[in-house]
Amino acid sequence: MSRSYRFDTVAIHAGQPSDPLTGAVCTPVYQTTTYAQDELGGKPEYCYSRTGNPTRAALEESLAAVEGGRFGFAFASGLAAANAVLQGLLSAGDHVVASQDLYGGCYRLFTKIFQRFGVQFSLIDSTDPAQVASAVRPSTRLLWLETPSNPLLRVTDIRAAIAASRSRRIGVPAPVVLVDNTFATPVHQRPLELGADLVLHSTTKYIGGHCDVIGGAVVTRDEDLAARLKFVQNATGAVPGPQDCFLLLRGLKTLSLRVERHAAIALELARRLENHPEVGRVYYPGLPGHPHHEIARRQQSAFGAIIGVELRGGVQRVRALVPHLQLWPLAESLGGVKSLLCHPATMTHAAVEPEERRRIGIGDGLIRLSVGLEDVEDLYEDLDLALAATAASVAVPASREAVPA
Ligand SMILES: *Cc1c(COP(=O)(O)O)cnc(C)c1O
């Protein structure tokens, strides 16, 4: 685009001029594997759809623009995007420092796959810059931050973590910094402007936004990093199909409308749940009592729509509650129009060993709410009724509670 436009304009126009052939105002789904070439040895823009596809190119340009980057790469899933970053940057012997309450699938990718190939990982509390500084070694190639984190909504000060990762590195290149921006979205958090080198998305979540497409993306401003990602994307081939790219382009156009409303509903629900007698603790960075409320206010323009809720009565309570809910299906994933409830200990974080889960504070009575776009009164009422209906399931007499199971 010739002028520099603001977010909502960029999300609708960047990478998506009217189709040069027909004038179609929406980028067509180029459902083709290959492209006829004019001559031997020519250098056509498109030659094979793993390498490049016009629908995917529109999505990639659009994603780069909304994150304030220069280069975007779309992948078949968020984990395929994470995998491409690790493959593009790391070799055996390299070291990665990462946030400890990482998305469970990234944790599994790190510890079950890349560790086998000789990459080392230190999982630390990235909300504490001192821990970042002391975890960094001469071989640290990558700092991987996820903020707000999943499912406890811990907020890392991105600037402080980056500064800490560089504080003791005289004569060695600084680690590349990646921020998984899936939870906050580019509407509410701007990692590249805060100094990160790479932004990662599971576009399955808010960018798709309608619970109907799996996808991932990486955005950067750095030419060298872009060349590495482009190479891996083509060399390993975990690319999305054009129909999925089309759905993601459609999602992007309403991203800011949706996430503003998601966040408003979530804040209201978090406030009400915090005062609910059947609820233990509520983890939501928009609540003044959240330990990272201040940094969330400075770093994000809203607090997102994921809420962690510790229920009275532990895992038995969660089990009893689920059948009573009508508007909160028990399901993995998040970030869509439909509200979802998940139990991290047995679902998203089942791949994290029980001791590790306990160490980082993911209790067995913790549920994670992904707040959708239904009416807030209906959402609250459904939870409130289910909590009331299951109150008896935790009213265990003290004498019985003392007997070990
Ligand atoms: C879902 C998710 C991923 C993985 O994305 P997929 O599209 O499921 O592969 C990575 N990071 C975060 C924060 C996520 O929520």
Side-chain angles (χ1 to χ4, degrees):
M1 288 187 294
S2 53
R3 270 185 277 156
S4 72
Y5 292 106
R6 294 160 188 84
F7 190 95
D8 287 349
T9 311
V10 169
I12 291 170
H13 288 271
Q16 303 176 72
S18 300
D19 182 48
L21 196 61
T22 63
V25 297
C26 284
T27 303
V29 178
Y30 283 91
Q31 192 79 47
T32 184
T33 54
T34 193
Y35 307 81
Q37 303 186 23
D38 290 341
E39 53 176 345
L40 278 179
K43 288 228 176 321
E45 190 176 359
Y46 295 104
C47 58
Y48 184 58
S49 278
R50 170 167 28 76
T51 316
N53 171 284
T55 317
R56 191 174 95 215
L59 173 64
E60 295 181 326
E61 190 176 335
S62 186
L63 286 166
V66 294
E67 278 291 359
R70 289 175 57 206
F71 310 98
F73 300 93
F75 293 90
S77 69
L79 281 180
N83 188 53
V85 170
L86 299 179
Q87 289 181 328
L89 263 67
L90 305 175
S91 302
D94 285 344
H95 175 244
V96 178
V97 174
S99 303
Q100 64 185 9
D101 48 351
L102 201 61
Y103 175 73
C106 291
Y107 177 82
R108 180 177 55 200
L109 179 68
F110 291 1
T111 56
K112 295 288 197 289
I113 297 189
F114 280 87
Q115 215 153 272
R116 272 203 287 124
F117 290 92
V119 176
Q120 294 175 321
F121 295 88
S122 296
L123 299 175
I124 49 102
D125 179 359
S126 59
T127 68
D128 176 4
Q131 286 198 32
V132 175
S134 61
V136 168
R137 310 173 187 167
S139 59
T140 306
R141 178 88 173 96
L142 180 63
L143 171 64
W144 186 290
L145 304 174
E146 185 178 323
T147 181
S149 77
N150 181 16
L152 296 173
L153 290 309
R154 296 168 57 77
V155 179
T156 292
D157 182 335
I158 295 171
R159 274 206 181 97
I162 294 175
S165 75
R166 293 178 180 160
S167 59
R168 299 191 311 162
R169 296 180 65 90
I170 298 135
V172 230
V176 170
V177 179
L178 175 143
V179 174
D180 184 332
N181 204 26
T182 300
F183 273 35
T185 81
V187 181
H188 291 148
Q189 179 166 273
R190 317 282 307 158
L192 297 179
E193 287 158 24
L194 297 169
D197 303 295
L198 297 165
V199 176
L200 180 116
H201 279 281
S202 167
T203 52
T204 308
K205 314 297 166 54
Y206 293 101
I207 290 177
H210 293 72
C211 316
D212 56 11
V213 56
I214 298 279
V218 188
V219 171
T220 185
R221 291 173 174 171
D222 184 286
E223 250 167 77
D224 170 57
L225 293 175
R228 287 166 179 270
L229 288 164
K230 174 103 198 114
F231 180 80
V232 172
Q233 186 190 43
N234 185 50
T236 66
V239 293
Q243 181 72 36
D244 285 354
C245 294
F246 174 85
L247 288 171
L248 292 166
L249 279 168
R250 163 187 270 227
L252 259 177
K253 296 184 181 97
T254 55
L255 179 67
S256 79
L257 267 179
R258 287 184 288 105
V259 297
E260 294 294 346
R261 176 64 81 92
H262 276 292
I265 299 173
L267 180 60
E268 177 61 24
L269 276 183
R271 284 183 178 143
R272 293 192 195 181
L273 289 170
E274 195 183 27
N275 294 314
H276 197 290
E278 296 297 320
V279 168
R281 231 177 119 178
V282 174
Y283 300 90
Y284 184 70
L287 296 175
H290 187 281
H292 305 138
H293 178 64
E294 277 312 312
I295 172 62
R297 275 179 46 154
R298 267 184 282 133
Q299 185 163 272
Q300 302 169 213
S301 56
F303 303 107
I306 307 299
I307 308 176
V309 182
E310 195 76 56
L311 294 182
R312 295 205 193 289
V315 69
Q316 286 93 328
R317 183 61 175 281
V318 181
R319 198 166 284 126
L321 188 84
V322 167
H324 288 275
L325 294 164
Q326 296 185 4
L327 295 180
W328 298 89
L330 180 68
E332 311 239 357
S333 200
L334 57 100
V337 290
K338 211 170 204 184
S339 291
L340 303 172
L341 178 147
C342 123
H343 181 237
T346 58
M347 297 168 74
T348 50
H349 289 66
V352 181
E353 288 83 16
E355 317 85 75
E356 178 67 6
R357 274 204 308 272
R358 267 190 288 281
R359 189 178 75 77
I360 62 185
I362 301 173
D364 289 347
L366 180 78
I367 56 169
R368 184 190 74 190
L369 303 178
S370 169
V371 178
L373 295 177
E374 299 92 338
D375 190 285
V376 64
E377 298 300 334
D378 292 332
L379 289 175
Y380 180 73
E381 194 177 274
D382 198 43
L383 288 169
D384 185 43
L385 287 172
L387 284 167
T390 54
S393 69
V394 288
V396 182
S399 58
R400 274 187 46 207
E401 211 164 21
V403 180

